[in-house]
Amino acid sequence: MVKYWPTKQSIYLNNSIVDLFIETEKKFILVKYNKSNQYLYLDMLSTISRNKLFKYIINDFKKLILDLIELDLNVKKVISISNKIRNIFIGKVSQRFLYQLKYKKIEWENKKEYEHSCNDLLQYLLIYLIFGSSSIHQNTFTFPAIYTPYNHVKILLENFIIQIANNIIKEIIYNLNYSSNINIFLKNQNICNKLYSSNRSIILFLNNIKWQNFLQSYIYDVKCFYSERQQIWLLSSQGMITKYIHISNLEEIKKMNQLKTVFLFWLETKDLIIPKIEKLLVQIAKYFLYSSLNLLSNLFLIIIKILVFYLSK
């Protein structure tokens, strides 16, 4: 039997949120490695350090939800400030994570790109947790809003935790600037994944992840927008894995820069023109094959007639 998420603010919604957070926290200790074929900045941390960061995120997120409920904001207001909420949240948890490590040498400089590059689906998660499923736009997901599966909200929370944790480590690395500083930081704080214990391995990792993020941003994300899919990260017994969910991205498409828009236009053109070109080429090939066979059969008949003519003499 499918369990659905509560449709509006109620005791049932409050209980569902409590259950959701408890179930998610239990999964932290089960997740050992990144089992996807993609790099995460999180990969630089040891499993213990990563799980600590996950706990900081989920604990602060609980407080954030309570604060937003207490402010009694409407849905439109929550959506409009969701990017600011994300930036403040990342900065706050980052500082808390560093404070726990007793590391004060970073001159903190917040990055401003999260509102455009983060795929944590925060605004939808906030709406589900604060207002219930009936406040989600009807055409956002494949199912009716009032019949939102409980597991759907669950995977949104897991994706949010992983994405935020990844952005926090990205932010820390950005502020450390140099691979030598990163290496010293990871080793001195005893939070390093042994795979990235040298400057060379860190440089190689950062180059790989930058190239991956470039391709992700300008090719794969655009393809996902075009096909109305969204890659999300999940916590599983196998490790951190990726899946895709269907989501309407009309508003996000409007925010795309020129290069991404050109690529999207190319995808649209490709889907319209290439099938017609393929049909034309198939028809030409069929005509050419038919003509060739017809020509060969005629030549064969002529040769036979010539042979018969000479043999009959």
Side-chain angles (χ1 to χ4, degrees), residues 37-101:
N37 58 359
Q38 298 181 29
Y39 294 101
L40 286 171
Y41 286 96
L42 270 178
D43 295 341
M44 302 185 76
L45 297 184
S46 65
T47 302
I48 295 173
S49 300
R50 186 203 63 210
N51 288 345
K52 282 183 180 179
L53 180 55
F54 282 170
K55 288 180 181 178
Y56 289 146
I57 291 170
I58 199 168
N59 287 334
D60 277 20
F61 192 57
K62 292 175 189 175
K63 296 175 184 177
L64 173 64
I65 296 300
L66 290 174
D67 290 342
L68 290 173
I69 291 173
E70 189 175 342
L71 289 172
D72 196 26
L73 304 173
N74 58 37
V75 176
K76 288 185 178 180
K77 185 62 177 177
V78 170
I79 292 173
S80 67
I81 65 173
S82 61
N83 290 327
K84 291 182 180 178
I85 291 172
R86 177 188 297 112
N87 290 334
I88 294 170
F89 186 79
I90 288 174
K92 184 178 178 181
V93 179
S94 300
Q95 294 287 8
R96 185 180 175 190
F97 182 64
L98 292 172
Y99 179 79
Q100 175 265 335
L101 296 174

Coordinates of all heavy atoms in Angstrom, one line a residue, residues 37-101:
N37 N 28.8 7.1 -10.7 CA 30.0 7.2 -11.6 C 30.4 8.7 -11.7 O 31.0 9.1 -12.6 CB 29.6 6.7 -13.0 CG 28.4 7.4 -13.6 OD1 27.8 8.2 -12.9 ND2 28.1 7.0 -14.8
Q38 N 30.0 9.5 -10.7 CA 30.3 10.9 -10.7 C 31.1 11.3 -9.4 O 31.0 10.6 -8.4 CB 29.0 11.8 -10.7 CG 28.2 11.5 -12.0 CD 27.0 12.4 -12.0 OE1 26.9 13.5 -11.4 NE2 25.9 11.9 -12.6
Y39 N 31.9 12.4 -9.5 CA 32.7 12.8 -8.4 C 31.8 13.8 -7.6 O 30.9 14.5 -8.1 CB 33.9 13.6 -8.9 CG 34.9 12.8 -9.6 CD1 35.0 12.8 -11.0 CD2 35.8 12.0 -8.9 CE1 36.0 12.1 -11.7 CE2 36.8 11.3 -9.6 CZ 36.9 11.3 -11.0 OH 37.8 10.6 -11.6
L40 N 32.1 13.8 -6.3 CA 31.5 14.7 -5.3 C 32.6 15.3 -4.5 O 33.6 14.6 -4.2 CB 30.5 14.0 -4.4 CG 29.1 13.6 -4.9 CD1 28.4 12.8 -3.8 CD2 28.3 14.8 -5.3
Y41 N 32.5 16.6 -4.2 CA 33.5 17.2 -3.3 C 33.5 16.4 -1.9 O 34.6 16.4 -1.3 CB 33.2 18.7 -3.0 CG 33.6 19.5 -4.2 CD1 32.6 19.9 -5.1 CD2 34.9 20.0 -4.4 CE1 32.9 20.7 -6.2 CE2 35.2 20.8 -5.5 CZ 34.2 21.1 -6.4 OH 34.5 21.9 -7.5
L42 N 32.4 15.9 -1.6 CA 32.3 15.1 -0.4 C 33.2 13.9 -0.3 O 33.6 13.4 0.7 CB 30.9 14.5 -0.2 CG 29.8 15.4 0.5 CD1 28.5 14.7 0.4 CD2 30.2 15.6 1.9
D43 N 33.6 13.4 -1.5 CA 34.5 12.2 -1.6 C 35.8 12.5 -0.9 O 36.6 11.5 -0.6 CB 34.8 11.9 -3.1 CG 33.5 11.4 -3.8 OD1 32.5 11.1 -3.1 OD2 33.5 11.5 -5.0
M44 N 36.2 13.7 -0.7 CA 37.5 14.0 -0.1 C 37.5 13.8 1.4 O 38.5 13.7 2.1 CB 37.9 15.5 -0.3 CG 38.0 15.8 -1.8 SD 38.6 17.5 -2.1 CE 40.3 17.3 -1.8
L45 N 36.2 13.7 2.0 CA 36.1 13.4 3.4 C 36.1 11.9 3.8 O 35.7 11.1 3.0 CB 34.8 14.0 4.0 CG 34.7 15.6 3.9 CD1 33.4 16.0 4.5 CD2 35.8 16.3 4.5
S46 N 36.5 11.6 4.9 CA 36.4 10.3 5.5 C 34.9 10.0 5.7 O 34.1 11.0 5.9 CB 37.2 10.1 6.7 OG 36.7 10.9 7.8
T47 N 34.5 8.8 5.8 CA 33.1 8.4 6.1 C 32.6 9.0 7.4 O 31.5 9.5 7.5 CB 33.0 6.9 6.1 OG1 33.4 6.3 4.9 CG2 31.5 6.5 6.3
I48 N 33.4 9.0 8.4 CA 33.0 9.5 9.7 C 32.8 11.0 9.7 O 31.8 11.5 10.2 CB 34.1 9.2 10.8 CG1 34.2 7.7 11.0 CG2 33.8 9.9 12.1 CD1 35.4 7.3 11.9
S49 N 33.7 11.7 9.0 CA 33.6 13.2 8.9 C 32.4 13.5 8.0 O 31.6 14.5 8.3 CB 34.8 13.8 8.3 OG 36.0 13.5 9.1
R50 N 32.1 12.8 7.0 CA 31.0 13.1 6.1 C 29.7 12.9 6.9 O 28.8 13.7 6.8 CB 31.0 12.1 4.9 CG 30.0 12.4 3.9 CD 29.7 11.2 3.0 NE 29.2 10.1 3.8 CZ 29.4 8.8 3.6 NH1 30.1 8.4 2.5 NH2 28.8 7.9 4.4
N51 N 29.6 11.8 7.7 CA 28.4 11.6 8.4 C 28.1 12.6 9.5 O 27.0 13.0 9.8 CB 28.4 10.2 9.1 CG 28.3 9.1 8.1 OD1 27.9 9.3 6.9 ND2 28.6 7.8 8.4
K52 N 29.2 13.2 10.1 CA 29.1 14.3 11.0 C 28.5 15.5 10.3 O 27.6 16.2 10.9 CB 30.5 14.6 11.6 CG 30.9 13.7 12.7 CD 32.3 14.2 13.3 CE 32.7 13.2 14.4 NZ 34.0 13.7 15.0
L53 N 29.0 15.7 9.1 CA 28.5 16.9 8.4 C 27.0 16.7 8.0 O 26.2 17.6 8.1 CB 29.3 17.0 7.1 CG 28.9 18.2 6.2 CD1 28.9 19.5 6.9 CD2 29.8 18.2 4.9
F54 N 26.6 15.4 7.7 CA 25.2 15.1 7.4 C 24.4 15.4 8.7 O 23.3 16.0 8.5 CB 25.1 13.6 7.1 CG 25.4 13.3 5.6 CD1 25.6 12.0 5.2 CD2 25.7 14.3 4.7 CE1 25.9 11.6 3.9 CE2 26.0 14.0 3.4 CZ 26.1 12.6 3.0
K55 N 24.9 15.1 9.8 CA 24.1 15.3 11.1 C 23.9 16.8 11.4 O 22.9 17.2 11.8 CB 24.8 14.6 12.2 CG 24.6 13.1 12.2 CD 25.3 12.4 13.4 CE 25.2 10.9 13.3 NZ 25.9 10.2 14.4
Y56 N 25.0 17.6 11.1 CA 24.9 19.0 11.3 C 23.8 19.6 10.4 O 23.0 20.4 10.8 CB 26.2 19.7 11.0 CG 27.3 19.4 12.0 CD1 28.7 19.3 11.6 CD2 27.0 19.3 13.3 CE1 29.7 19.1 12.5 CE2 28.0 19.1 14.3 CZ 29.3 19.0 13.9 OH 30.3 18.7 14.8
I57 N 23.8 19.1 9.1 CA 22.8 19.6 8.2 C 21.4 19.3 8.6 O 20.5 20.1 8.6 CB 23.1 19.0 6.8 CG1 24.5 19.6 6.2 CG2 22.0 19.3 5.8 CD1 25.0 18.9 5.0
I58 N 21.2 18.0 8.9 CA 19.8 17.6 9.2 C 19.3 18.3 10.5 O 18.2 18.7 10.7 CB 19.6 16.1 9.3 CG1 18.2 15.7 9.2 CG2 20.2 15.5 10.6 CD1 17.9 14.2 8.9
N59 N 20.2 18.5 11.5 CA 19.8 19.1 12.8 C 19.5 20.6 12.5 O 18.5 21.1 13.1 CB 20.9 19.0 13.8 CG 21.0 17.6 14.4 OD1 20.1 16.8 14.4 ND2 22.2 17.2 14.8
D60 N 20.4 21.3 11.7 CA 20.1 22.7 11.5 C 18.9 22.8 10.6 O 18.2 23.9 10.6 CB 21.3 23.3 10.8 CG 22.4 23.7 11.8 OD1 22.3 23.2 12.9 OD2 23.2 24.6 11.5
F61 N 18.6 21.8 9.7 CA 17.5 21.9 8.8 C 16.2 21.8 9.7 O 15.2 22.4 9.3 CB 17.5 20.8 7.8 CG 16.5 21.0 6.7 CD1 16.5 22.2 5.9 CD2 15.6 20.0 6.3 CE1 15.6 22.4 4.9 CE2 14.7 20.2 5.3 CZ 14.7 21.3 4.6
K62 N 16.2 21.0 10.7 CA 15.0 20.9 11.6 C 14.7 22.2 12.2 O 13.6 22.6 12.2 CB 15.3 19.9 12.7 CG 15.5 18.4 12.3 CD 15.9 17.6 13.5 CE 16.2 16.2 13.1 NZ 16.7 15.4 14.3
K63 N 15.8 22.9 12.7 CA 15.6 24.2 13.3 C 15.1 25.2 12.2 O 14.2 26.1 12.6 CB 16.9 24.7 13.9 CG 17.4 23.9 15.0 CD 18.8 24.3 15.5 CE 19.4 23.4 16.5 NZ 20.7 23.8 16.9
L64 N 15.6 25.1 11.0 CA 15.1 26.0 10.0 C 13.6 25.8 9.7 O 12.9 26.8 9.5 CB 15.9 25.7 8.7 CG 15.5 26.5 7.4 CD1 15.7 28.0 7.6 CD2 16.3 26.0 6.2
I65 N 13.2 24.6 9.6 CA 11.8 24.3 9.3 C 10.9 24.9 10.5 O 9.9 25.6 10.2 CB 11.5 22.8 9.2 CG1 12.2 22.2 8.0 CG2 10.0 22.5 9.1 CD1 11.8 22.9 6.7
L66 N 11.3 24.7 11.7 CA 10.6 25.3 12.8 C 10.5 26.8 12.8 O 9.5 27.4 13.0 CB 11.2 24.8 14.2 CG 11.0 23.3 14.5 CD1 11.8 23.0 15.7 CD2 9.6 22.9 14.7
D67 N 11.6 27.4 12.4 CA 11.7 28.9 12.3 C 10.8 29.4 11.2 O 10.1 30.4 11.4 CB 13.1 29.3 12.1 CG 14.0 29.1 13.3 OD1 13.5 29.0 14.4 OD2 15.3 29.1 13.1
L68 N 10.8 28.7 10.1 CA 9.9 29.2 9.0 C 8.4 29.0 9.3 O 7.6 29.8 8.9 CB 10.3 28.4 7.7 CG 11.6 28.7 7.1 CD1 11.9 27.8 5.9 CD2 11.7 30.1 6.6
I69 N 8.1 27.9 10.0 CA 6.7 27.7 10.4 C 6.3 28.8 11.4 O 5.2 29.3 11.3 CB 6.5 26.3 11.1 CG1 6.7 25.2 10.0 CG2 5.2 26.2 11.8 CD1 6.7 23.8 10.6
E70 N 7.2 29.1 12.3 CA 6.9 30.2 13.3 C 6.7 31.5 12.6 O 5.9 32.3 13.1 CB 8.0 30.2 14.3 CG 7.7 31.1 15.5 CD 8.8 31.1 16.6 OE1 9.6 30.1 16.5 OE2 8.8 32.0 17.4
L71 N 7.4 31.8 11.6 CA 7.3 33.1 10.8 C 6.0 33.2 10.1 O 5.5 34.3 9.7 CB 8.4 33.2 9.9 CG 9.8 33.5 10.5 CD1 10.9 33.4 9.4 CD2 9.8 34.9 11.2
D72 N 5.3 32.0 9.9 CA 4.0 32.0 9.2 C 4.0 32.7 7.9 O 3.1 33.5 7.5 CB 2.9 32.7 10.1 CG 1.5 32.3 9.7 OD1 1.3 31.3 9.1 OD2 0.6 33.1 10.0
L73 N 5.0 32.3 7.0 CA 5.1 32.8 5.7 C 4.1 32.1 4.7 O 3.8 30.9 5.0 CB 6.5 32.7 5.2 CG 7.6 33.4 6.0 CD1 9.0 33.0 5.5 CD2 7.4 34.9 6.1
N74 N 3.7 32.8 3.7 CA 2.9 32.1 2.7 C 3.8 31.3 1.7 O 5.0 31.5 1.7 CB 1.9 33.0 2.0 CG 2.6 34.2 1.3 OD1 3.7 34.0 0.7 ND2 2.1 35.3 1.3
V75 N 3.2 30.6 0.8 CA 4.0 29.7 -0.2 C 4.8 30.6 -1.1 O 6.0 30.3 -1.3 CB 3.0 28.8 -1.0 CG1 3.8 28.1 -2.0 CG2 2.3 27.9 -0.1
K76 N 4.2 31.7 -1.6 CA 5.0 32.5 -2.6 C 6.2 33.1 -1.9 O 7.3 33.3 -2.5 CB 4.1 33.6 -3.1 CG 3.0 33.1 -4.1 CD 2.2 34.3 -4.7 CE 1.2 33.8 -5.7 NZ 0.4 34.9 -6.2
K77 N 6.1 33.5 -0.7 CA 7.2 34.1 0.0 C 8.3 33.1 0.3 O 9.5 33.5 0.1 CB 6.7 34.7 1.4 CG 7.8 35.5 2.1 CD 8.2 36.7 1.4 CE 9.3 37.5 2.2 NZ 9.8 38.7 1.4
V78 N 7.9 31.9 0.6 CA 8.9 30.9 0.9 C 9.7 30.6 -0.4 O 10.9 30.4 -0.4 CB 8.3 29.6 1.4 CG1 9.3 28.4 1.4 CG2 7.8 29.8 2.8
I79 N 9.0 30.5 -1.5 CA 9.6 30.3 -2.8 C 10.6 31.4 -3.2 O 11.7 31.2 -3.7 CB 8.5 30.1 -3.9 CG1 7.8 28.8 -3.7 CG2 9.2 30.1 -5.3 CD1 6.6 28.6 -4.6
S80 N 10.1 32.6 -3.0 CA 10.9 33.8 -3.4 C 12.2 33.9 -2.6 O 13.2 34.5 -3.1 CB 10.1 35.1 -3.2 OG 9.8 35.4 -1.9
I81 N 12.2 33.5 -1.3 CA 13.4 33.6 -0.5 C 14.2 32.3 -0.4 O 15.2 32.2 0.4 CB 13.1 34.1 0.9 CG1 12.2 33.1 1.7 CG2 12.4 35.5 0.9 CD1 12.0 33.5 3.2
S82 N 13.8 31.3 -1.1 CA 14.4 30.0 -1.0 C 15.9 30.0 -1.3 O 16.7 29.3 -0.7 CB 13.7 28.9 -1.8 OG 13.8 29.3 -3.2
N83 N 16.3 30.8 -2.3 CA 17.7 31.0 -2.6 C 18.5 31.6 -1.5 O 19.6 31.2 -1.2 CB 17.9 31.8 -3.9 CG 17.4 31.0 -5.2 OD1 17.5 29.8 -5.2 ND2 16.8 31.7 -6.1
K84 N 17.9 32.6 -0.9 CA 18.6 33.3 0.2 C 18.7 32.3 1.4 O 19.7 32.3 2.1 CB 17.8 34.5 0.7 CG 17.9 35.7 -0.3 CD 17.1 36.9 0.2 CE 17.2 38.0 -0.9 NZ 16.4 39.2 -0.4
I85 N 17.6 31.5 1.6 CA 17.7 30.5 2.7 C 18.8 29.6 2.5 O 19.5 29.2 3.4 CB 16.3 29.8 2.7 CG1 15.2 30.7 3.2 CG2 16.4 28.6 3.6 CD1 13.8 30.1 3.1
R86 N 19.0 29.1 1.2 CA 20.0 28.2 0.9 C 21.4 28.8 1.2 O 22.2 28.1 1.8 CB 19.9 27.8 -0.6 CG 21.1 26.8 -1.0 CD 21.1 26.6 -2.5 NE 19.9 26.0 -2.9 CZ 19.0 26.5 -3.7 NH1 19.1 27.8 -4.1 NH2 17.9 25.9 -4.1
N87 N 21.6 30.0 0.7 CA 23.0 30.6 0.9 C 23.3 30.8 2.4 O 24.4 30.5 2.9 CB 23.0 32.0 0.2 CG 23.0 31.8 -1.3 OD1 23.4 30.8 -1.8 ND2 22.5 32.8 -2.0
I88 N 22.3 31.3 3.2 CA 22.5 31.5 4.6 C 22.7 30.1 5.3 O 23.6 30.0 6.2 CB 21.3 32.2 5.2 CG1 21.2 33.6 4.7 CG2 21.4 32.2 6.8 CD1 19.9 34.4 5.0
F89 N 22.0 29.1 4.9 CA 22.1 27.8 5.5 C 23.4 27.2 5.3 O 24.1 26.6 6.2 CB 21.0 26.9 4.9 CG 20.9 25.6 5.6 CD1 20.2 25.4 6.8 CD2 21.4 24.4 5.0 CE1 20.1 24.2 7.4 CE2 21.3 23.2 5.6 CZ 20.7 23.1 6.8
I90 N 23.9 27.3 4.0 CA 25.2 26.7 3.7 C 26.3 27.4 4.5 O 27.2 26.8 5.1 CB 25.5 26.9 2.2 CG1 24.6 25.9 1.4 CG2 27.0 26.6 1.8 CD1 24.7 26.0 -0.1
G91 N 26.2 28.8 4.6 CA 27.2 29.5 5.3 C 27.2 29.1 6.8 O 28.3 29.0 7.5
K92 N 26.0 29.0 7.4 CA 25.9 28.7 8.8 C 26.4 27.3 9.1 O 27.2 27.1 10.1 CB 24.4 28.8 9.2 CG 24.1 28.6 10.7 CD 22.6 28.7 11.0 CE 22.4 28.4 12.4 NZ 20.9 28.5 12.7
V93 N 26.0 26.3 8.3 CA 26.5 24.9 8.6 C 28.0 24.8 8.3 O 28.7 24.1 9.1 CB 25.7 23.9 7.7 CG1 26.2 22.5 8.0 CG2 24.2 24.0 8.0
S94 N 28.5 25.5 7.3 CA 29.9 25.5 7.1 C 30.7 26.0 8.3 O 31.7 25.4 8.7 CB 30.2 26.4 5.8 OG 29.6 25.9 4.7
Q95 N 30.3 27.2 8.8 CA 30.9 27.7 10.0 C 30.9 26.8 11.2 O 31.8 26.7 11.9 CB 30.3 29.1 10.3 CG 30.5 30.2 9.3 CD 32.0 30.7 9.2 OE1 32.8 30.1 9.9 NE2 32.2 31.7 8.5
R96 N 29.8 26.1 11.3 CA 29.6 25.2 12.4 C 30.5 24.0 12.3 O 31.1 23.5 13.2 CB 28.1 24.7 12.5 CG 27.9 23.9 13.7 CD 26.4 23.4 13.8 NE 26.2 22.5 14.9 CZ 25.1 21.8 15.0 NH1 24.1 21.9 14.2 NH2 24.9 21.0 16.0
F97 N 30.6 23.5 11.0 CA 31.5 22.4 10.8 C 33.0 22.7 11.0 O 33.7 22.0 11.7 CB 31.3 22.0 9.3 CG 32.2 20.8 8.9 CD1 31.9 19.5 9.4 CD2 33.1 20.9 7.9 CE1 32.7 18.4 9.0 CE2 33.9 19.8 7.5 CZ 33.7 18.6 8.1
L98 N 33.4 23.9 10.6 CA 34.7 24.4 10.9 C 35.0 24.7 12.4 O 36.1 24.4 12.9 CB 35.0 25.7 10.0 CG 35.1 25.5 8.5 CD1 35.2 26.8 7.8 CD2 36.2 24.6 8.1
Y99 N 34.0 25.2 13.0 CA 34.1 25.5 14.5 C 34.3 24.2 15.2 O 35.1 24.1 16.2 CB 32.9 26.2 15.0 CG 32.9 26.5 16.5 CD1 33.7 27.6 16.9 CD2 32.2 25.7 17.4 CE1 33.7 27.9 18.3 CE2 32.3 26.0 18.7 CZ 33.0 27.1 19.2 OH 33.1 27.3 20.5
Q100 N 33.6 23.2 14.8 CA 33.8 21.9 15.5 C 35.2 21.3 15.3 O 35.8 20.7 16.2 CB 32.7 20.9 14.9 CG 32.8 19.4 15.4 CD 33.6 18.6 14.5 OE1 33.7 18.8 13.3 NE2 34.2 17.5 15.0
L101 N 35.8 21.7 14.1 CA 37.1 21.2 13.8 C 38.2 22.2 14.5 O 39.4 21.9 14.4 CB 37.4 21.2 12.3 CG 36.5 20.2 11.5 CD1 36.8 20.4 10.0 CD2 36.9 18.8 11.9

